[in-house]
Amino acid sequence: MSQDHILVFDTTLRDGEQSPGASLGVSEKLIIAEQLARLRVDAIEAGFPVSSQAQFDGVRLAASQIKGPAIVALARCIDKDIDVAWEALKPAQRPRIHTFVATSKIHMEKKFRKSEDEILEMAVAGVKRAKSYCEDVEFSPEDSARTGLEFLLRIVEAAIKAGATVINIPDTVGFAMPEQFGALIRTVRERVPNIHKAILSVHCHNDLGLAVANTLAAVHNGAQQVEVTVNGVGERAGNASLEEVVMALKTRVDFYGKSTNIDTREILRTSKLVSTLMGIPVQPNKAIVGSNAFAHESGIHQDAVIKDATTYEIMSPQDIGLQSNAIVLGRHSGRHGLKMRLMELGYNLPAPELDHVYQRFLEIADRKKEVFDEDLLALMSNETMETKETWSLAYFHILSGNQTVPTATVGLTHGEETVQEAAVGDGPVDAAYRALDRMINLPVTLQDYSLRGVTGGKDALGEVFVRVRHEGVTWLGRGASTDIIEASIRAYLHALNRILAAQVPGKHE
Ligand code: KIV
Ligand code: ZN
């Protein structure tokens, strides 16, 4: 591997999916994995197969469908984890088992009650077992940034001796400072005698807002692989953001002198897809992919940018796939045009689904003159193919005003029959949700409701995300419509249908 090249390991589907309430269905995972392959990441960590059937299925599907990037499955240094990870990974063109064990004093004592020697033994046995299945084995000493240096160096050397091809140094709790983390990576490079036999990787969390800075400091000090997530999603405050690390390396190639394989023009599209499917909005001022990242508000700036964009733009918007002349669809667009646009957005639909989506597209196009990419993404987030619609919306009627009791009448189709209920509530959405509860009768609590306009303008599509809690599990529901009450009903119904689908034996979400 060239010293000037940095490998991008994406863990959106594993660590990213550990964001609270962000769980993805299996086919949603595949849609994201396909887009990550288009983005040209080098490795996709697709899940933690032993942790649930859904995780296993997600890895298995990515392993059998995705060509190009390595497909990675996570496993603790435990025989069963490694065996199950391999079972899920088997069909992959380029499989990799990623095995880990905690090495910091606090984790070893409190989690395992084991000594350094016992942990080292677990690591060696785990790597060897993984190696018996698969040539490519990654080893992570979890909580490396808080691990005693001498033990860290010893366990890394032992893991490489046991067959690890990638050594990943995680800052699991986002504790490190950039200079310190950079120095740690340099020390690992300089003092582990067999380090040249493995790729040195880093994995940083963002608890102090330093995940990207730490990752870049590590690259500056010899790291060859960066573990990142799209939009920086992930456990707690998240992981280092893919787009920020990649664009920093590209924009400051003068400083780092490193390249990646990433097709940066796919960045924005990937960000929007992940945000929509995970139900995690991107803050407007987020670096690279926020809606304001390339917006110039002040007159002085606008004037200068018109004269020469580089006065206030250090990157070109086109480099991340931001197009001012994006194709816009409308009422007269045909199925083919819609299909092609959806493919570019990461959705490859077979004919029956396309027909269904086309009908929904026409409904939106009838209400809105122009249908933008954001509208299509919102529409597609409604059409989660794997969520069997046990209940579907037939019609609704709302009575609301500032001097009346909000009342909703909702009709739902359930198999062959249509049922109807009416309810009053604190507002029209509350009334509609009460009517739905009466018909579907699932014990759920609404934890979170958010509404956003997908694009600008009065006729914008409204997109609603809800999170509902059922038997200790949080479920995400999405709905989009030019009518915000309809979007709200669809979102709630989507969450309830997902719960019901997961209750059917053999159906995994
Ligand atoms: O943050 C972490 O330590 C991890 C490991 C499993 C690599 O996610
Ligand atoms: Zn992590």
Side-chain angles (χ1 to χ4, degrees), residues 179-248:
E179 292 75 8
Q180 191 183 24
F181 197 62
L184 177 64
I185 298 305
R186 181 164 294 272
T187 307
V188 171
R189 280 232 79 83
E190 289 173 355
R191 292 195 42 205
V192 174
N194 53 1
I195 194 70
H196 59 282
K197 294 190 177 159
I199 288 168
L200 184 55
S201 168
V202 289
H203 174 117
C204 298
H205 279 268
N206 206 29
D207 299 66
L208 291 172
L210 294 171
V212 170
N214 286 341
T215 303
L216 293 171
V219 166
H220 197 46
N221 283 281
Q224 298 153 296
Q225 173 180 282
V226 291
E227 298 202 356
V228 288
T229 60
V230 175
N231 299 336
V233 293
E235 189 82 50
R236 307 182 309 279
N239 291 56
S241 121
L242 180 148
E243 59 280 5
E244 293 178 25
V245 171
V246 166
M247 289 311 288

Side-chain angles (χ1 to χ4, degrees), residues 324-341:
S324 47
N325 57 350
I327 297 166
V328 178
L329 302 180
R331 286 203 347 257
H332 303 295
S333 304
R335 259 187 197 68
H336 185 67
L338 177 67
K339 183 178 167 67
M340 298 318 286
R341 196 71 208 133

